[in-house]
Amino acid sequence: MLVIKDLYAKVEGKDILRGINLTVNAGEVHAIMGPNGSGKSTLANVLAGNTNFEVTHGSITFNGKDIFDMSPDVRAKEGLFLSFQYPVEIPGVSMVNFLKTAVNEHRKYRNEKELSAGDFLKLLREKKAMVQIDSQLTNRSVNEGFSGGEKKKNEIFQMAMLEPTLAILDETDSGLDIDALRIVSNGVNMLKNKNNATILVTHYQRLLDYIVPDFVHVLYEGRIVKSAGKELAFELEEKGYDWIKKELGE
Amino acid sequence: MSCLFVNGILLNLEIIMEDQNKLIHEVTQRDYRFGFVSDIETDTIVKGLNEEVIRIISAKKDEPEFMLEFRLKAYRRWLTMKMPEWAQLKVPVIDYQEIIFYAAPTQQAKYESLNEVDPELLRTFEKLGIPLEEQKMLSGVAVDAVIDSVSVKTTFKETLAERGIIFCSFSEAVKHHPDLIQKYLGMAVPYNDNYFAALNSAVFSDGSFVYIPKGTRCPMELSTYFRINAKNTGQFERTLVIADDDSYVSYLEGCTAPMRDENQLHAAVVEIIALDRAEVKYSTVQNWYPGDKNGLGGIFNFVTKRGICKGVSSKIFWNQVETGSAITWKYPSCVLMGDNSVAEFNSVALTNNYQQADTGTKMIHLGKNTKSTIVSKGISAGHSSNSYRGLVRVAPKAENARNYSQCDSLLLGDTCGAHTFPYIEVGNSSSIIEHEATTSKIGEDQIFYCNQRGISTEDAIGMIVNGYAREVINKLPMEFAVEAQKLLQISLEGSVG
Ligand SMILES: Nc1ncnc2c1ncn2[C@@H]1O[C@H](COP(=O)(O)OP(=O)(O)OP(=O)(O)O)[C@@H](O)[C@H]1O
Ligand SMILES: [Mg+2]
């Protein structure tokens, strides 16, 4: 589904990603961990097509297509979803209007009929229940004045609405209270099937109790320096990153 | 201003007219009946401006003596006046001796076919869903069959006449209701009010007249669409709306289709008089040709609009969406004379490329317990300049007056400019004036967020801008609001990303 080969990227003239290789197949869950500033969000943004990040080398194929041929909105409509680490506020644009546009753009891309107002509201209600999002939130402007946790929940709610094939969740767990973490994780698990895949960016093993990864990768200074099964997360939780740095001879 | 097919207006009619089939038949008949077009001679006078020209204009229109006097007074005053320079605008020198001040309503076609028209303009027409024939008319292409609205107008006028409502061209009103004209003309905008108002008063060609009798609620939205000979009145247009005691009217002016005009200078005057407990809603969508991407060829729009809340508890609402013109100079204002009167100004002004807009309002509180609200939303893109200029003045006698002003600016990119010039003068201590201002930018991160959800940059900008302007758009009559939304998005195309 996703093949990243020797990817280099920079931001503001500074090299951030320095040779990333990663393959994600349908049905898999990958966790990416790593110290602050190692490039996790950069990778997520490059995948989503944020032009603030300049790709200087390497290739990415998504669904067998060169991802660099696709604009950010096309990538989204191809099924790539990014749950932002810091979701932005869009004053004046109601959640309902925003989501209706988004859902219908996806449908148009797939040559499906746009949803009627009634069908859309039905879908909205269904997905709201799934992530147990406060009804009030969908009546407000996109993320405007949402608490940190509400914003994260709202990201997963949007994911539920759009049903992506590849979801990249950038620190969705941080900021969520204990109950919300469980609810959001449940939501993500419910959306999982053998045709889609998830990349979880997280600092904490706790999330991985709920959403069990098939692979855990450590991103360090712009490279994936270690990959293993879910046990790696426990090891990191216990020992931090120093031992990995030592292994690398630093 | 000519606007030939505003879908919504027809929709409106459908509700009101019992026999819509008959109506549609009439519209499509293209049958030239009598109308006020026919009694204006089809000729042109020499260019330039002097007293003789004004006498000719008045004579050609067969005006009563008081009209000629009004024009001459205005002209003599205009000669002593200077073009105002305080606005945040760069205006090229206008040579008034090069302008033809009286032209026949039949306009010469400028082009043979649509192929000769600016393709950008055609693309916009397409997006707005304007029919081909109408595209031709709006852009000045020769058309075989003119869809004539005289017949529509006639049917429409019957409905109004039953209620004693007068809605006709200004010239017609001068002829048939000279008493009303004499009484109210210049009441809100005196002939010597300002340079452009004086010019308009001297040379205005035609316009609209509305009178709503006592206790009457106008059953439909009045639109200039129904004025067939509006075609060539655009340059110096004059509108007078009078709402008698306890009456109500909603008036629509302009249309969303970009309108071309050979006359670069436009100086219209609009006057509204609201008597006791009367309510007037005046909505404008202004989309005159703004010029091309480099700012060439657009319209200069210098408008004086003012309403007087003359009666107690009267209400005047100005709602406007301004997206057109190369230069816009416009301050729809209200004089709150009657005690307990209410005035509102709700405005969205969008500028792109090299457009310049200096617009705002004046709220003059004279009566007690008067209340005014100003909501101004500026949107600037490209290399444009967008200024809000507002005056709130509370006279010493206007006890317990209230004003709330909110002026927001939204910037796209960093080559455009937004300025706010609020002036507040309060003459007593019992009044409360509140002013809020914000400036914001459409962030790339906001657009990227929308992109990431499958929404294209163009749609994202449209959505964000409309979200920003929603408060004002919502004040427009429904059918106008929908078109205005589309218009905002189209006007910003290519301005980001
Ligand atoms: N727009 C930017 N301008 C300048 N530097 C940036 C920008 N975005 C990211 N960086 C830098 O790139 C590096 C990687 O940032 P990134 O956000 O990818 O880290 P991260 O692994 O997601 O960290 P965290 O765990 O703290 O979220 C950091 O040093 C950061 O300061
Ligand atoms: Mg990060």
Side-chain angles (χ1 to χ4, degrees):
Chain A
M1 172 180 295
L2 180 74
V3 182
I4 306 175
K5 281 193 183 141
D6 204 22
L7 181 71
Y8 283 72
K10 49 180 169 187
V11 56
E12 309 269 329
K14 191 173 125 200
D15 291 311
I16 308 293
L17 302 183
R18 291 183 281 184
I20 302 253
N21 289 289
L22 180 68
T23 300
V24 177
N25 297 305
E28 294 177 350
V29 176
H30 291 245
I32 298 180
M33 303 178 81
N36 294 133
S38 56
K40 302 180 297 294
S41 296
T42 303
L43 176 62
N45 272 284
V46 167
L47 287 170
N50 188 333
T51 49
N52 287 336
F53 300 86
E54 186 195 347
V55 175
T56 50
H57 184 83
S59 68
I60 305 174
T61 53
F62 178 48
N63 295 338
K65 296 174 200 161
D66 184 349
I67 210 169
F68 300 133
D69 290 342
M70 297 182 241
S71 59
D73 59 305
V74 172
R75 294 180 199 192
K77 287 178 279 204
E78 277 281 328
L80 188 146
F81 180 89
L82 172 57
S83 167
F84 286 83
Q85 185 175 0
Y86 304 109
V88 298
E89 305 192 353
I90 312 179
V93 176
S94 72
M95 273 308 299
V96 171
N97 184 20
F98 179 76
L99 277 172
K100 186 156 186 274
T101 311
V103 166
N104 281 331
E105 287 302 315
H106 276 73
R107 295 181 67 91
K108 271 196 266 177
Y109 188 77
R110 296 190 299 251
N111 289 320
E112 293 167 11
K113 251 183 73 187
E114 293 185 33
L115 285 184
S116 68
D119 287 345
F120 173 76
L121 288 175
K122 215 174 112 208
L123 182 70
L124 195 77
R125 236 177 283 130
E126 190 184 302
K127 301 296 184 181
K128 251 164 50 177
M130 192 168 182
V131 294
Q132 299 184 18
I133 195 165
D134 188 345
S135 243
Q136 294 301 318
L137 290 184
T138 49
N139 293 332
R140 284 164 51 184
S141 294
V142 179
N143 293 323
E144 196 184 24
F146 286 26
S147 74
E150 286 169 344
K151 282 182 184 167
K152 294 300 176 68
K153 238 183 173 180
N154 189 26
E155 294 291 286
I156 300 307
F157 169 54
Q158 293 177 51
M159 172 181 161
M161 290 292 292
L162 298 172
E163 299 192 333
T165 51
L166 176 63
I168 306 160
L169 311 186
D170 192 354
E171 296 197 26
T172 300
D173 51 337
S174 41
L176 290 178
D177 66 41
I178 298 155
D179 292 333
L181 180 66
R182 189 170 33 80
I183 294 162
V184 161
S185 304
N186 275 342
V188 172
N189 283 330
M190 277 199 274
L191 292 165
K192 239 168 54 183
N193 62 40
K194 64 180 194 318
N195 298 318
N196 62 25
T198 314
I199 299 175
L200 300 169
V201 174
T202 183
H203 286 297
Y204 307 108
Q205 194 277 326
R206 196 185 48 195
L207 174 72
L208 307 181
D209 281 341
Y210 293 107
I211 310 171
V212 183
D214 301 297
F215 304 93
V216 175
H217 310 277
V218 176
L219 188 65
Y220 179 63
E221 294 189 337
R223 250 168 274 176
I224 291 179
V225 294
K226 201 170 187 64
S227 298
K230 65 178 184 214
E231 67 285 350
L232 178 55
F234 288 100
E235 214 173 339
L236 293 170
E237 180 96 351
E238 202 178 308
K239 300 199 272 186
Y241 292 105
D242 278 355
W243 63 279
I244 292 184
K245 291 180 196 170
K246 270 201 202 102
E247 266 188 19
L248 291 168
E250 286 183 19
Chain B
M1 279 176 222
S2 71
C3 180
L4 292 143
F5 261 119
V6 179
N7 302 338
I9 309 299
L10 281 174
L11 211 144
N12 238 339
L13 267 175
E14 281 171 14
I15 298 164
I16 293 142
M17 301 299 170
E18 289 150 18
D19 190 356
Q20 31 165 309
N21 287 337
K22 180 178 150 226
L23 179 74
I24 289 162
H25 177 73
E26 280 191 343
V27 177
T28 49
Q29 273 271 299
R30 296 160 191 183
D31 162 26
Y32 245 106
R33 291 209 204 151
F34 56 87
F36 42 85
V37 164
S38 53
D39 50 34
I40 297 172
E41 282 169 51
T42 54
D43 59 355
T44 307
I45 59 171
V46 291
K47 63 189 180 189
L49 188 54
N50 52 49
E51 280 202 13
E52 190 49 32
V53 165
I54 287 164
R55 284 176 199 282
I56 294 172
I57 293 172
S58 193
K60 277 191 184 294
K61 300 178 81 69
D62 206 7
E63 287 179 347
E65 188 62 24
F66 79 88
M67 280 303 301
L68 175 63
E69 271 163 31
F70 180 82
R71 288 177 183 277
L72 287 174
K73 236 176 7 187
Y75 173 67
R76 288 173 194 140
R77 188 54 199 263
W78 180 73
L79 286 177
T80 70
M81 297 170 103
K82 272 211 173 69
M83 168 136 161
E85 276 166 0
W86 40 259
Q88 186 83 7
L89 300 170
K90 288 194 195 84
V91 184
V93 175
I94 298 165
D95 184 352
Y96 293 92
Q97 298 310 329
E98 278 301 311
I99 295 173
I100 296 167
F101 285 88
Y102 183 87
T106 47
Q107 222 170 356
Q108 283 280 305
K110 193 179 170 211
Y111 306 108
E112 285 303 312
S113 81
L114 277 176
N115 297 335
E116 298 166 47
V117 175
D118 181 2
E120 275 296 302
L121 191 66
L122 295 182
R123 230 169 51 88
T124 309
F125 283 146
E126 216 117 279
K127 295 220 162 181
L128 282 165
I130 294 166
L132 211 63
E133 282 301 291
E134 210 182 317
Q135 292 188 20
K136 289 183 181 173
M137 276 185 273
L138 289 165
S139 52
V141 174
V143 274
D144 313 328
V146 176
I147 299 170
D148 184 12
S149 57
V150 168
S151 48
V152 180
K153 192 182 133 278
T154 311
T155 323
F156 177 76
K157 270 176 108 173
E158 281 165 13
T159 313
L160 294 177
E162 281 166 22
R163 292 170 167 80
I165 294 168
I166 305 169
F167 179 36
C168 60
S169 76
F170 204 94
S171 318
E172 222 177 355
V174 168
K175 259 185 216 129
H176 303 301
H177 312 280
D179 43 334
L180 285 172
I181 298 284
Q182 195 160 14
K183 183 164 174 198
Y184 291 106
L185 179 67
M187 184 179 269
V189 182
Y191 70 92
N192 58 358
D193 187 81
N194 68 68
Y195 186 81
F196 293 108
L199 178 64
N200 175 288
S201 300
V203 303
F204 71 88
S205 30
D206 211 332
S208 303
F209 177 80
V210 176
Y211 173 78
I212 316 290
K214 282 193 171 99
T216 304
R217 203 183 156 83
C218 185
M220 61 193 80
E221 259 133 20
L222 296 183
S223 165
T224 47
Y225 161 61
F226 292 101
R227 286 184 304 106
I228 173 65
N229 78 337
K231 250 186 180 171
N232 203 38
T233 56
Q235 193 171 13
F236 300 103
E237 189 172 9
R238 187 105 197 172
T239 304
L240 177 56
V241 178
I242 303 157
D244 214 326
D245 298 350
D246 303 292
S247 68
Y248 167 86
V249 63
S250 167
Y251 187 91
L252 307 182
E253 168 203 67
C255 73
T256 50
M259 288 184 286
R260 273 221 184 240
D261 194 305
E262 286 317 296
N263 305 309
Q264 197 163 36
L265 172 68
H266 282 245
V269 168
V270 176
E271 298 183 272
I272 299 176
I273 317 288
L275 301 177
D276 287 350
R277 295 166 303 277
E279 182 175 333
V280 179
K281 201 183 283 176
Y282 194 105
S283 307
T284 309
V285 172
Q286 185 269 117
N287 192 19
W288 288 108
Y289 185 58
D292 64 13
K293 287 218 149 46
N294 303 311
L296 288 174
I299 303 277
F300 304 163
N301 198 22
F302 298 90
V303 188
T304 306
K305 291 186 167 181
R306 194 171 308 142
I308 301 188
C309 290
K310 201 167 154 49
V312 294
S313 304
S314 55
K315 294 181 182 148
I316 294 180
F317 304 96
W318 294 107
N319 301 321
Q320 63 171 26
V321 174
E322 303 275 322
T323 61
S325 298
I327 299 175
T328 304
W329 182 98
K330 184 184 214 177
Y331 317 91
S333 303
C334 286
V335 181
L336 295 102
M337 235 163 103
D339 290 348
N340 308 316
S341 57
V342 174
E344 268 184 35
F345 172 75
N346 300 297
S347 167
V348 176
L350 180 153
T351 54
N352 196 0
N353 298 318
Y354 286 88
Q355 283 177 270
Q356 309 175 60
D358 195 296
T359 162
T361 185
K362 286 189 263 183
M363 293 293 179
I364 314 291
H365 293 254
L366 301 178
K368 292 187 184 55
N369 309 317
T370 47
K371 202 171 126 194
S372 65
T373 308
I374 298 170
V375 179
S376 163
K377 302 264 182 183
I379 302 161
S380 336
H383 296 272
S384 67
S385 158
N386 200 329
S387 304
Y388 167 81
R389 189 179 302 277
L391 167 68
V392 177
R393 178 185 292 153
V394 177
K397 278 195 222 152
E399 285 159 26
N400 298 314
R402 291 215 54 160
N403 165 267
Y404 172 73
S405 303
Q406 182 194 327
C407 303
D408 299 328
S409 309
L410 183 68
L411 303 173
L412 284 85
D414 29 53
T415 50
C416 52
H419 319 272
T420 308
F421 305 99
Y423 306 92
I424 297 170
E425 299 165 15
V426 186
N428 64 47
S429 56
S430 59
S431 296
I432 302 171
I433 310 295
E434 289 171 87
H435 181 91
E436 282 176 26
T438 66
T439 301
S440 48
K441 256 188 156 178
I442 294 190
E444 277 177 37
D445 53 342
Q446 289 174 325
I447 293 173
F448 180 65
Y449 190 84
C450 295
N451 287 163
Q452 214 306 301
R453 301 302 185 241
I455 300 165
S456 70
T457 298
E458 208 170 287
D459 290 345
I461 291 172
M463 205 157 74
I464 295 169
V465 165
N466 276 305
Y468 165 81
R470 192 172 54 189
E471 202 182 333
V472 173
I473 302 260
N474 283 349
K475 305 265 182 185
L476 293 171
M478 249 286 273
E479 62 273 17
F480 243 31
V482 173
E483 292 185 16
Q485 268 181 24
K486 249 200 278 181
L487 179 62
L488 288 181
Q489 177 164 351
I490 290 167
S491 305
L492 284 171
E493 261 175 25
S495 56
V496 169

